[in-house]
Amino acid sequence: NWNWTHRDPDYLPPEIDTTKPSIARVYDAFLGGKDNFAVDRAVATEGMRHFPDRGEGARNNRAMLFRGVKYMAEQGIDQFLDIGSGLPTMDNTHSVAQRINPAAKVVYVDNDPIVLAHARAILQTDERTRVITADLREPEVILDHPEVDGFLDFSRPIGLLLVAVVHHLADAEDPNGLVDTYKARLAPGSYMQLTHFCSCAPEMRELEAVLLQMLGTGRARDMPEIVRFFDGLDLVEPGVVHVPEWRPEEPVSHPLDLGGVCVAGGIGRKA
Ligand code: SAM
């Protein structure tokens, strides 16, 4: 029974290991959330010691996620596949999309069981939202999953979200090949939003070293490597940029600080 919010507050499903940091919980700690444990906060604290952005990078990424979802919904996208969705925070893909189109459907996918545990409790009343535990590195499992293929219509355009997740793939895991596999399944008119740790600032190498050592994952890649993930798609203006520069709704001050340059991304459309 995953409905652990109604149980003893100290109860944790056995799948949730609080002795090892988890990507979703460390990200939550960077965002200033409450769904994390001491072991996760230790990674965030050490990360911020080397990369003192006060969590701005994570917040800028999350803000661009929502501007991107809003943009796609305004273009008529009414179904989203959000892979590496993370813990549900104050705002979420489905609420942003459904503000534009109340009929919009969203499937959340994450390989961390804590995401399903939290999301089920919050989303169980929303009929247009599904949550599954699955791994980005197994595209067939995700794309052929009954909650994905049976719920979203792959013959029509989809908004694919790979936001701050591909940097958790090592080079040896063939991130380009994996992203290409997902793009190949999309119908014409679909969009892909992707953001990624960017190695633009030298301090990013220090953050990368902390994450690789303490969390075992977190690769920074350079702009050409990030642009490469969009091969075969038409980039929506302004292209692949540092996330605060992607269609900002408020003026952006320059030069960008650490929290501004650490993540880059964009949206591409399949012709
Ligand atoms: N997309 C959200 C955002 O940008 O706000 C969350 C990003 S968070 C940095 C990365 C998420 O990807 C975490 O929740 C983590 O559990 C998930 N993740 C990492 N590797 C994954 C994989 N191989 N398959 C599925 N999810 C993964």
Side-chain angles (χ1 to χ4, degrees):
N1 182 351
W2 278 101
N3 205 359
W4 55 294
T5 48
H6 299 299
R7 291 170 171 243
D8 170 356
D10 293 330
Y11 172 81
L12 275 176
E15 287 81 353
I16 292 166
D17 182 351
T18 60
T19 66
K20 292 197 197 88
S22 106
I23 300 168
R25 294 178 340 223
V26 169
Y27 181 66
D28 181 69
F30 270 105
L31 284 169
K34 293 193 190 69
D35 298 318
N36 51 74
F37 299 95
V39 71
D40 309 304
R41 290 189 288 277
V43 179
T45 303
E46 185 62 11
M48 282 193 236
R49 203 166 71 75
H50 290 267
F51 195 86
D53 77 332
R54 304 177 311 281
E56 272 302 304
R59 285 190 289 278
N60 284 333
N61 173 69
R62 193 103 187 135
M64 190 251 173
L65 161 66
F66 296 143
R67 294 199 301 281
V69 169
K70 192 172 155 214
Y71 170 85
M72 290 185 271
E74 284 167 353
Q75 308 312 305
I77 296 295
D78 61 359
Q79 38 179 7
F80 294 86
L81 179 59
D82 185 351
I83 305 180
S85 55
L87 282 159
T89 59
M90 275 170 23
D91 223 347
N92 289 293
T93 298
H94 74 284
S95 35
V96 174
Q98 288 170 2
R99 253 176 253 146
I100 311 283
N101 178 356
K105 290 177 169 183
V106 177
V107 180
Y108 291 107
V109 182
D110 203 288
N111 67 347
D112 188 331
I114 199 163
V115 171
L116 181 68
H118 275 260
R120 274 236 174 112
I122 292 171
L123 305 173
Q124 61 195 353
T125 52
D126 189 323
E127 302 212 321
R128 294 173 309 281
T129 304
R130 296 284 187 277
V131 191
I132 65 166
T133 300
D135 201 296
L136 172 64
R137 291 164 291 195
E138 297 181 328
E140 287 77 20
V141 172
I142 293 181
L143 293 166
D144 298 334
H145 194 288
E147 294 276 37
V148 177
D149 197 22
F151 184 63
L152 304 180
D153 178 357
F154 279 83
S155 70
R156 294 199 302 111
I158 284 181
L160 170 66
L161 305 177
L162 292 170
V163 178
V165 65
V166 173
H167 52 226
H168 293 300
L169 300 174
D171 292 346
E173 291 173 316
D174 189 18
N176 283 303
L178 285 166
V179 172
D180 288 347
T181 302
Y182 288 98
K183 286 187 296 194
R185 188 69 81 91
L186 301 176
S190 294
Y191 290 85
M192 178 185 80
Q193 178 174 8
L194 184 148
T195 71
H196 197 291
F197 277 148
C198 179
S199 56
C200 304
E203 295 91 336
M204 191 64 198
R205 288 292 172 211
E206 286 195 42
L207 178 61
E208 179 184 53
V210 170
L211 294 177
L212 290 174
Q213 200 210 330
M214 294 182 79
L215 196 56
T217 170
R219 274 278 279 110
R221 296 188 168 96
D222 63 23
M223 276 292 192
E225 288 175 300
I226 299 171
V227 172
R228 159 73 182 84
F229 290 120
F230 293 88
D231 272 7
L233 304 180
D234 299 328
L235 280 171
V236 166
E237 284 295 316
V240 177
V241 291
H242 294 120
V243 290
E245 315 252 44
W246 198 89
R247 295 181 177 250
E249 288 171 354
E250 283 158 25
V252 179
S253 50
H254 289 92
L256 293 175
D257 55 14
L258 278 184
V261 296
C262 62
V263 182
I267 293 190
R269 182 179 184 276
K270 188 162 174 177

